[in-house]
Structures are given as C-alpha cells and as structure tokens.
Amino acid sequence: MDPFDAGAGSVLRQPKAVWATAGASVVAFMGIGLVDPILPSIAQGLHATAGQVSLLFTSYFLITAVAMLLTGFVSSRIGGRRTLLLGLAFVVVFAGLAGTSDSVGQLVGFRAGWGLGNALFVSTALAVIVGAAAGGSAAAILLYESALGLGMACGPLLGAVLGNMSWRYPFFGTATLMAIGFLCITAFLKEQPKPARKTSILDPIKALGHGGLASAAGSAFFYNYTFFTVLAFTPFVLNMTPYRSGAVFFAWGVLLAVFSVIVAPRLQERLGSLKVLGGSLVLLAADVLVLGYGDHTTAVVCTILSGAFIGVNNTVYTELALDVSDAPRPVASAGYNFVRWFAAAAAPYFAPKIEEWTDIHVPFVVAAVTAVLGAVVVVVRRKALTHEAEELEERHATEDGVTVFAN
C-alpha cells in the first residue's frame, strides 16, 4: 500500500497530535545543521578560532551522547508527552540564551544545554508519533523520516537567511519555532500510556553486550567521525558567505533525505544491507578524500554528494541497531546512539586541531580512513550482523521499503 495514498492509512491523514510532534521534530533536526553556514560569522563576531567555534558541535553532541542513557529512564517514569515538553523547554531556553552570548565559551555552554533538550525530545518523538498515528506504524515512520530529512535540509537554509543579518538571529529563530512546537504539543498531544517496565540508566549499556549491537555501534562510531568532519569542518574550508554555504548544505540535506527515505531501501532489497553499507562507506571515503584535495568547485560538489552516501548509511545503520539484538528498540537505540554520538563530538574538535598540526588536507584523510574502518568492522563482524541483515531484506520485500531513521 502506498503510504501517501489518500486513504485512512495515509501519511497525510494523521491526528493533530502527530502533526504537532512531527512539526516540532523538523525544527529539532534543523538545530543540527543550523550553525553550519554561520560558523565563520560566529568566529568573526566573537573573535574566535575555527577550533573554538567547532566546539559548538562538540558540546552539543557530547551532552547528547550522555543524555541517551537518561532519555529512557525519564520517559518511562514521567511519560512521553512530558518528556517531549521537557526537551522542548530546554531547547527554547538554551537556544535563546545562545543568541545572547558575548563569548564563545558562553555559546558552547548554552549549546550543551540545547543538546540535552534535543536528546530528550528526539529520542522520544518517534515512539510518540508511532503511538499516536492512524493507519499503523509504516505511515508514522515515513512521516518521522520525512521530518528528519526536511529538518536536515532546511536547517542550513534557515541559518543562512537569518545569519546573513546577524549570527545571533538563527538561535532566536530556533527558540521561537520550538516555543510554537511546545504550545502545539501542549494543545494537541494527550499523554500516552507509560511502559509496563521502567528503564534503568544502565539498560542501554547492558544492551551493548550483544555482539551484533556492539558491532553496529562500533562501525557507526567510525562512520560518524567522517559524517561530522564534513558537517562541522567543511564550512571553514569552503569559506563562503552564509547564503552560499546555506545553499550548499541545503542541497546536501536534500540528497540525504532522498537517499535515506527512497534510495536506500531499494538498494537494500536488491543488494543486501551489508553490501550496501560497506560499499557506501567506501564511496564516502573516496568522496571526502577528493573533497580535501580538490579545488573549491570540487569541494562544493563533493560536499553535496556526500549527502547521498550519508543518507544511505544512516538508514542501514539504524535498522541494524534497532533489530540486531533482542533488547527493546528504545533501549537498543539508546545504547547505539550513546556510542556513535561520541564520534560526532570528537570530529568537530579534532579536525581543526589536525589542520593546525599538519595542513588543511589531512583532516579529510583521517575522515576517509575512519569511513574505511567502519566498512572493515562491517566485513569482519558480518557473521554477527548477517542474520539480522537477512531479516531486514525479507521485511523490505513485504513493507515497500519503509525504514526507520532514529536519532
């Protein structure tokens, strides 16, 4: 069945609660790439170095990684609705405070608080959408993925439009949009039943004792270092105006969304999940290597093209993480994200440092190596992942290629 069909199970025919949560999800995902086009402007406005400004990503994702151990603990006790509202409140407060920063240290600290709010919101949003959706989980999952893709694409665009006037405006804009999301969820989303079993803080860590889940998380750790080298370090290499940088990362986000939602499931059905993942990682390694050594036009093209490989990888990794073990999906997702977000925190810090120690090309060499290491883990640990991959392929044959991208 086509999830976009106008029937009762359509992604387009959902309760207001689902649309309110999905709309807030778009803004939450926008926050990841929002600062990309304005990183050089922030550095100039606060008299900071590229390495200092890149800590905006490091603090954000470091807190996000640690918070993954708390999200299930919190939501299983206070419920999904209250967890969403708590996360939104954190984002509204800290995004607004970020816009008032007088130093890069303040801005980095406020981004950390923003990361905590985003972790609470994003980790709970998918479960809430699926629970409140009409017509089964397939349409709900597609709606969530569409929100993610739209947010990743529009974040840099909003950052460029507002950031062209002042680097502070994107932060105020995010706070305003999230405040609207807070009001919509308050008005339209009713509290859902709490889980029968409360999740402990250590459950995601225990879940990583499963060999397949640990393998998926370890491979994703290396991949995420590559991913966030592109996202956090490339804007300094391109050195473009906010509008032009925003356009580049908007195109990057569009490719990410299309390849995540549409292309990846079809490739998996034809070639198998592990072959698709290994091949995409190797192609991503080649892409970032050319990005690092090419001229400016080549760097722009390779930055946009990387969105395609990242979209494929994100979809396959998340499916592997959610289904490879017998742990409940929220617990498995939390353990997987706990590991991989540490690499998202590390890349923005180390890439500028590596440039200082060597030259501008070497950070991309390191990023290419980490992508290859991710592929090596997939090959070496394929037996731990093969059973799950086969189940995925069978499921794709009967579910029209709908996949989950859970952050």
Side-chain angles (χ1 to χ4, degrees):
M1 183 179 72
D2 184 357
F4 285 103
D5 186 85
S10 169
V11 69
L12 301 178
R13 295 176 63 86
Q14 297 295 335
K16 292 179 181 179
V18 173
W19 286 113
T21 307
S25 297
V26 171
V27 182
F29 293 125
M30 285 170 61
I32 295 177
L34 179 80
V35 299
D36 256 34
I38 58 173
L39 286 176
S41 299
I42 294 173
Q44 183 179 1
L46 295 178
H47 308 290
T49 66
Q52 290 174 321
V53 172
S54 293
L55 291 175
L56 294 175
F57 285 97
T58 298
S59 64
Y60 182 88
F61 286 114
L62 186 62
I63 296 300
T64 297
V66 176
M68 285 298 162
L69 301 180
L70 302 174
T71 54
F73 177 87
V74 173
S75 64
S76 65
R77 284 163 175 79
I78 69 173
R81 180 177 181 272
R82 290 180 180 176
T83 303
L84 288 179
L85 293 175
L86 181 63
L88 287 170
F90 269 103
V91 175
V92 170
V93 170
F94 284 103
L97 288 173
T100 68
S101 300
D102 294 322
S103 69
V104 71
Q106 288 181 353
L107 188 54
V108 169
F110 292 141
R111 276 282 284 183
W114 185 344
L116 173 60
N118 218 48
L120 289 169
F121 177 84
V122 171
S123 64
T124 310
L126 177 59
V128 170
I129 288 175
V130 171
S137 63
I141 289 169
L142 185 57
L143 181 62
Y144 179 84
E145 286 202 41
S146 300
L148 183 145
L150 184 62
M152 292 291 284
C154 292
L157 204 59
L158 178 66
V161 172
L162 297 179
N164 195 59
M165 295 179 282
S166 169
W167 65 264
R168 299 180 186 273
Y169 289 174
F171 298 109
F172 294 140
T174 299
T176 301
L177 290 172
M178 283 304 231
I180 295 172
F182 184 97
L183 294 175
C184 289
I185 288 177
T186 301
F188 299 121
L189 180 63
K190 297 180 180 180
E191 186 58 80
Q192 295 180 310
K194 297 177 184 178
R197 177 183 175 273
K198 293 181 179 180
T199 302
S200 82
I201 292 177
L202 294 179
D203 280 351
I205 301 294
K206 293 177 181 177
L208 290 170
H210 186 280
L213 182 60
S215 300
S219 178
F221 175 88
F222 290 115
Y223 154 67
N224 263 41
Y225 185 95
T226 308
F227 178 177
F228 286 94
T229 296
V230 173
L231 193 62
F233 183 66
T234 302
F236 293 104
V237 176
L238 298 180
N239 194 26
M240 304 168 77
T241 65
Y243 274 131
R244 291 187 177 183
S245 183
V248 168
F249 280 96
F250 172 73
W252 169 87
V254 169
L255 277 185
L256 186 154
V258 170
F259 275 74
S260 176
V261 176
I262 299 175
V263 178
R266 286 161 174 75
L267 289 176
Q268 287 175 275
E269 184 177 351
R270 175 175 292 226
L271 301 174
S273 296
L274 299 186
K275 288 181 181 179
V276 169
L277 182 58
S280 182
L281 286 168
V282 171
L283 290 173
L284 177 62
D287 181 78
V288 297
L289 199 59
V290 174
L291 191 163
Y293 281 93
D295 58 21
H296 188 267
T297 300
T298 302
V300 169
V301 172
C302 288
T303 298
I304 295 172
L305 182 60
S306 70
F309 306 124
I310 289 170
V312 170
N313 293 337
N314 286 343
T315 293
V316 181
Y317 269 122
T318 303
E319 289 194 347
L320 290 174
L322 292 179
D323 294 325
V324 72
S325 72
D326 56 0
R329 282 189 168 191
V331 174
S333 178
Y336 162 76
N337 282 299
F338 172 72
V339 173
R340 73 180 184 118
W341 287 130
F342 276 110
Y349 175 79
F350 284 111
K353 291 291 184 184
I354 293 170
E355 181 196 9
E356 292 176 12
W357 299 332
T358 55
D359 61 51
I360 199 169
H361 307 296
V362 177
F364 294 100
V365 175
V366 175
V369 170
T370 55
V372 172
L373 287 174
V376 169
V377 172
V378 171
V379 172
V380 172
R381 297 290 297 167
R382 63 187 180 278
K383 289 185 178 180
L385 299 169
T386 296
H387 177 66
E388 191 276 335
E390 291 172 348
E391 290 182 349
L392 282 177
E393 289 157 29
E394 292 177 3
R395 194 170 76 228
H396 279 306
T398 60
E399 293 185 1
D400 294 324
V402 178
T403 59
V404 181
F405 187 117
N407 273 273

